[in-house]
């Protein structure tokens, strides 16, 4: 199959392209040109990178997308590209809307023009639930986004639903709850914690400054979640699916688990600063992925404890290696 992935240089793009390339699919990625010629997470795996066909383009530039779609005529499209950092969406709401809403519209229009028989996946998000009033959230939960990012993902979600209903296209949404890995960007709270815990353990740093420690999230493992993306497009009809573990933990739990894995007492090192708190935060999320489990046969394979340890161990290896090189 010929596949196009937008956002291929991020955490999910990496795991998804690895999964699809290993099955012999022809994987094309849309990459934003930058002067450093960096390819994000793909730079950590040159062997995988050599198997992919990377095209320079930008989701906000419809012309660049048309050129790529016309050349590839994909069977499947995974639209993962986004301004994905919720905190940043407060500082740059317009840019967030431009990339996440207009970018999604552009991708859908190129798909409709050049591959109307294909299948399209949109990376929707649990952030669209926002101010939740139920113990767990599923596909029927009323959305109440609490940030420009959440609003943009809700708009992308309904643009996908609308294209499916209006034009009969195979467009599906994965409503993914938080998903992490050793390749998670360093600005997200889980990776910020695993990296800081390791640096404190190695004596490179002495403290970690965070925002809201009470915030609760349903954290899963990215490699499990990209498998769900594939299953969503394999399914007999286009539909929307919540992907989550069903377990929720606070930021404090994450900190405690990461620090104790290294034999550290987190209370001696962690400080709270208002600057990391959001004007309106999503305080609690817990996904109910019964539909995906039943219809797709999907389930997570990595527990919360295993995920935290995996991230800390990977950072320990990475930072110890860098430290040795510098000595
Ligand atoms: P989130 O992820 O906003 O849920 O979106 P993030 O890791 O940024 O925040 C999770 C929670 O931790 C609290 N928090 C902090 N967050 C950050 N980044 N830095 C801090 O210092 C800090 N201290 C406390 C936050 O307030 C928040 O409540 C992620 C992204 O990947 C989205 O793109 C995706 O759609 C959703 O997950 C599902």
């Amino acid at each position: 199959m010929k596949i196009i992935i937008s956002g291929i240089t991020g955490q999910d793009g990496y795991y998804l392209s690895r999964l699809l390339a290993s099955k012999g699919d022809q994987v094309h990625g849309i990459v934003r040109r930058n002067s450093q010629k960096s390819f994000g997470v793909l730079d950590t795996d040159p062997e995988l990178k050599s198997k992919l066909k990377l095209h320079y383009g930008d989701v906000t530039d419809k012309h660049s997308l048309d050129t790529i779609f016309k050349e590839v005529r994909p069977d499947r499209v995974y639209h993962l590209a986004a301004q994905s950092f919720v905190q940043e969406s407060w500082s740059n709401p317009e840019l967030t809307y431009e990339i996440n809403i207009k970018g999604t519209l552009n991708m859908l229009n190129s798909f409709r023009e050049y591959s109307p028989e294909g299948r399209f996946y949109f990376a929707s998000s649990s952030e669209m639930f926002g101010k939740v009033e139920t113990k767990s959230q599923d596909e029927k939960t009323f959305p109440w986004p609490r940030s420009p990012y959440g609003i943009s993902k809700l708009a992308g979600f309904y643009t996908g639903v609308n294209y499916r209903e209006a034009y009969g296209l195979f467009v599906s949404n994965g409503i993914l709850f938080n998903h992490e890995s050793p390749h998670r960007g360093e600005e997200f709270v889980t990776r910020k914690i695993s990296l800081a815990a390791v640096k404190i353990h190695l004596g490179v740093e002495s403290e970690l400054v965070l925002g809201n420690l009470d915030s609760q999230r349903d954290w899963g493992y990215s490699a499990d979640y990209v498998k769900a993306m594939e299953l969503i497009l394999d399914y007999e009809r286009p539909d929307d699916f919540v992907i989550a573990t069903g377990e929720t933990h606070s930021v404090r739990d994450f900190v405690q688990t990461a620090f104790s894995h290294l034999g550290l007492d987190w209370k001696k090192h962690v400080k709270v600063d208002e600057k990391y708190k959001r004007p309106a935060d999503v305080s609690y999320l817990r996904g109910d992925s019964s539909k995906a489990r039943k219809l797709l046969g999907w389930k997570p394979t990595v527990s919360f404890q295993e995920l935290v340890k995996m991230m800390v161990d990977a950072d320990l290896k990475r930072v110890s290696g860098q430290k040795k090189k510098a000595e």
Side-chain angles (χ1 to χ4, degrees):
M1 264 192 294
K2 284 185 289 178
I3 314 272
I4 286 184
I5 302 176
S6 73
I8 198 165
T9 58
Q11 166 190 265
D12 292 0
Y14 166 72
Y15 284 111
L16 180 63
S17 57
R18 197 177 75 173
L19 173 74
L20 300 177
S22 75
K23 294 186 168 172
D25 287 335
Q26 193 188 105
V27 182
H28 296 256
I30 303 174
V31 179
R32 246 180 316 157
R33 192 183 284 278
N34 61 56
S35 52
Q36 282 86 35
K37 291 218 162 78
S38 96
F39 293 89
V41 183
L42 294 180
D43 286 330
T44 64
D45 192 341
E47 201 190 320
L48 170 64
K49 197 172 142 213
S50 71
K51 291 185 195 154
L52 310 173
K53 297 187 189 314
L54 302 177
H55 305 252
Y56 284 117
D58 192 310
V59 294
T60 60
D61 177 353
K62 174 76 163 62
H63 179 74
S64 73
L65 299 183
D66 283 346
T67 307
I68 299 165
F69 273 75
K70 207 168 169 178
E71 185 191 324
V72 178
R73 306 260 174 190
D75 300 296
R76 292 189 177 187
V77 178
Y78 293 88
H79 174 38
L80 314 182
Q83 190 303 91
S84 65
F85 189 30
V86 176
Q87 181 106 26
E88 173 71 12
S89 78
W90 296 103
S91 321
N92 282 308
E94 284 183 38
L95 185 68
T96 302
Y97 289 164
E98 179 75 14
I99 297 171
N100 296 6
I101 303 178
K102 179 86 184 308
T104 300
L105 189 64
N106 286 342
M107 285 290 290
L108 280 165
N109 281 332
S110 294
F111 169 69
R112 186 179 164 217
E113 280 162 52
Y114 298 105
S115 291
E117 304 301 323
R119 297 183 175 206
F120 189 104
Y121 171 91
F122 174 61
S124 186
S125 162
S126 52
E127 280 297 297
M128 76 186 206
F129 296 127
K131 193 172 175 183
V132 301
E133 287 172 335
T134 48
K135 211 171 150 220
S136 61
Q137 298 79 50
D138 65 14
E139 296 79 6
K140 293 199 164 59
T141 300
F142 185 74
W144 193 326
R146 300 260 289 163
S147 65
Y149 171 83
I151 293 166
S152 74
K153 282 290 173 180
L154 182 61
F157 174 90
Y158 277 115
T159 308
V161 171
N162 184 240
Y163 269 49
R164 178 165 83 212
E165 292 174 352
Y167 304 123
L169 297 169
F170 195 115
V171 179
S172 294
N173 288 297
I175 308 168
L176 270 54
F177 281 59
N178 298 53
H179 46 286
E180 321 294 310
S181 77
H183 291 297
R184 186 60 146 149
E186 292 174 18
E187 69 272 39
F188 297 98
V189 78
T190 55
R191 186 75 201 292
K192 186 174 169 183
I193 295 167
S194 65
L195 200 54
V198 162
K199 287 184 177 171
I200 292 166
H201 171 70
L202 295 173
V204 182
E205 274 171 16
S206 59
E207 65 174 28
L208 165 62
V209 186
L210 293 170
N212 186 3
L213 298 182
D214 296 320
S215 190
Q216 288 175 277
R217 287 290 184 276
D218 180 332
W219 278 295
Y221 176 40
S222 171
D224 282 344
Y225 285 43
V226 302
K227 179 71 200 157
M229 294 179 192
E230 188 194 24
L231 293 172
I232 287 172
L233 288 196
D234 281 346
Y235 190 54
E236 61 195 41
R237 59 174 186 273
D239 207 340
D240 310 316
F241 294 92
V242 160
I243 303 298
T245 69
E247 244 188 64
T248 190
H249 293 271
S250 65
V251 171
R252 187 179 288 97
D253 283 345
F254 199 105
V255 171
Q256 203 259 331
T257 310
F259 276 66
S260 70
H261 183 51
L262 294 168
L264 294 167
D265 177 0
W266 70 274
K267 288 188 183 133
K268 291 189 179 146
H269 305 281
V270 175
K271 286 196 179 126
V272 170
D273 191 318
E274 292 298 314
K275 80 172 178 206
Y276 292 112
K277 292 193 176 167
R278 300 172 182 181
D281 202 359
V282 173
S283 55
Y284 172 90
L285 287 172
R286 176 166 165 247
D288 175 354
S289 56
S290 310
K291 180 176 170 184
R293 290 175 198 234
K294 190 167 159 236
L295 299 183
L296 308 176
W298 177 83
K299 64 174 183 336
T301 66
V302 173
S303 72
F304 173 76
Q305 310 285 337
E306 288 167 340
L307 178 65
V308 179
K309 286 179 187 160
M310 180 203 297
M311 292 178 72
V312 172
D313 289 342
D315 275 329
L316 187 57
K317 214 168 144 192
R318 218 162 356 209
V319 180
S320 309
Q322 285 161 1
K323 207 174 159 229
K324 254 194 209 128
K325 252 192 218 161
E327 280 164 5

